[in-house]
Amino acid sequence: MSRRKVGFWYHLAAVLAKPPLLLLFKRDWQGAENIPADGGFITVVNHNSHLDPFAYGHFQYNTGRVPRFLAKSSLFTDGFVGAVMRGSGQIPVYRDSSDARGAFRAAIDAVERGECVAFYPEGTLTRDPLQWPMAARTGAARVALQTKCPVVPIAQWGANEVLPPYSKKASVFPRKTHRVLVGGPVDLSRYYGQAVTQDLLREVTEVIMAAITELLVQLRGEPAPEVPYDPRRARALERRGDARPAARAPGAQAAPEAVAKAAVEVEVEEDKGTT
């Protein structure tokens, strides 16, 4: 696969990040042939560790098609980190502001220029107790439908074994393996040309997340829950006084009557443009 020109700041970030990553992780990376050699596309990746941007970024940098990440705007402020984020072409997301949708315009522009934009569709670290992908936001679906670009699903596992989600305690030894499995592009052609409604965006998002989850099933070698964890439904159940699903067995399905009752009570919020 041909290596694209990535610029000074991206090369500098790679020079600084790769040596500690090589020490920290063994690597089991599969499916890189599914990364398009040419043209704009998006990757959609599960998110279960604050180390993901480094570990996953290392993988995709090595494919020659560097990702442009959508990241919270505070990382783009003054200082060295801000200079790297701006200089390497990352895309700021201004959450809960009138500029929130600007990130999607920037993502669309990048794809139309022939670049790769990397999405964590869940918008944050998974809150699923067993670290499966949870209910996601619709940002990747919006960009995919607008650009009709290839949507490449990717599952990763291993960074979370060093630094679990929402934990400040790292486990460096024994040395962990960062596993990546890249699938073929998700076929969304049946949705092209349809009116872009919230229902359509949610359906496309579910198709995308199902593809990521299936790849993660292969990496982990165990079945995923039949119903993705949904933080809003969990909060609704908590408000009702029902037990919050703090843990569940792999492959277990949430009680249908509880989920349905909670779903009725959860107000459907318009997506604010965060990823």
Side-chain angles (χ1 to χ4, degrees), residues 97-177:
S97 78
S98 59
D99 295 325
R101 293 189 184 275
F104 294 109
R105 183 67 257 173
I108 289 169
D109 290 345
V111 169
E112 291 178 343
R113 288 195 305 269
E115 298 191 63
C116 168
V117 176
F119 278 87
Y120 294 121
E122 297 156 280
T124 188
L125 294 171
T126 183
R127 290 186 171 86
D128 182 279
L130 295 180
Q131 301 182 43
W132 290 99
M134 64 179 181
R137 297 179 182 271
T138 59
R142 289 178 186 273
V143 175
L145 293 177
Q146 176 73 26
T147 62
K148 299 182 176 62
C149 68
V151 177
V152 180
I154 301 178
Q156 62 173 346
W157 190 259
N160 55 304
E161 294 179 335
V162 174
L163 186 64
Y166 306 104
S167 173
K168 296 181 180 179
K169 185 177 181 181
S171 174
V172 177
F173 300 106
R175 191 173 176 224
K176 310 300 190 295
T177 299

Side-chain angles (χ1 to χ4, degrees), residues 12-22 54:
L12 177 61
V15 166
L16 294 175
K18 286 178 73 172
L21 289 169
L22 290 170
F54 302 99

Side-chain angles (χ1 to χ4, degrees), residues 18-275:
K18 286 178 73 172
L21 289 169
L22 290 170
L23 289 173
L24 192 59
F25 292 109
K26 295 179 284 185
R27 293 166 302 287
D28 181 6
W29 295 343
Q30 303 176 50
E33 66 276 7
N34 289 316
I35 298 290
D38 296 290
F41 66 102
I42 67 176
T43 57
V44 284
V45 193
N46 64 303
H47 193 14
N48 55 14
S49 175
H50 285 300
L51 292 177
D52 285 346
F54 302 99
Y56 169 73
H58 183 195
F59 159 75
Q60 196 170 328
Y61 181 89
N62 278 23
T63 71
R65 298 301 308 273
V66 297
R68 307 301 180 187
F69 287 100
L70 283 84
K72 58 185 179 181
S73 59
S74 60
L75 294 176
F76 291 77
T77 55
D78 294 340
F80 178 73
V81 172
V84 172
M85 295 295 286
R86 296 189 302 271
S88 60
Q90 309 311 314
I91 300 171
V93 177
Y94 299 90
R95 298 189 175 187
D96 301 319
S97 78
S98 59
D99 295 325
R101 293 189 184 275
F104 294 109
R105 183 67 257 173
I108 289 169
D109 290 345
V111 169
E112 291 178 343
R113 288 195 305 269
E115 298 191 63
C116 168
V117 176
F119 278 87
Y120 294 121
E122 297 156 280
T124 188
L125 294 171
T126 183
R127 290 186 171 86
D128 182 279
L130 295 180
Q131 301 182 43
W132 290 99
M134 64 179 181
R137 297 179 182 271
T138 59
R142 289 178 186 273
V143 175
L145 293 177
Q146 176 73 26
T147 62
K148 299 182 176 62
C149 68
V151 177
V152 180
I154 301 178
Q156 62 173 346
W157 190 259
N160 55 304
E161 294 179 335
V162 174
L163 186 64
Y166 306 104
S167 173
K168 296 181 180 179
K169 185 177 181 181
S171 174
V172 177
F173 300 106
R175 191 173 176 224
K176 310 300 190 295
T177 299
H178 182 236
R179 295 179 171 85
V180 173
L181 181 58
V182 184
V186 181
D187 183 7
L188 300 177
S189 59
R190 63 188 181 278
Y191 299 107
Y192 297 159
Q194 296 187 37
V196 179
T197 63
Q198 283 298 314
D199 286 342
L200 180 69
L201 289 170
R202 282 193 291 272
E203 182 175 344
V204 172
T205 299
E206 288 172 2
V207 171
I208 290 171
M209 295 307 296
I212 299 171
T213 302
E214 177 55 35
L215 293 170
L216 190 57
V217 166
Q218 296 179 49
L219 279 185
R220 294 179 61 171
E222 56 184 293
E226 295 178 23
V227 177
Y229 183 83
D230 188 330
R232 290 188 301 165
R233 289 178 179 176
R235 288 194 295 270
L237 286 170
E238 194 173 47
R239 286 195 300 268
R240 288 179 50 83
D242 296 336
R244 184 170 182 169
R248 59 188 178 194
Q253 182 171 359
E257 64 277 6
V259 171
K261 188 179 295 183
V264 169
E265 297 184 356
V266 175
E267 181 179 358
V268 177
E269 301 175 356
E270 181 180 359
D271 195 303
K272 295 181 179 179
T274 57
T275 60

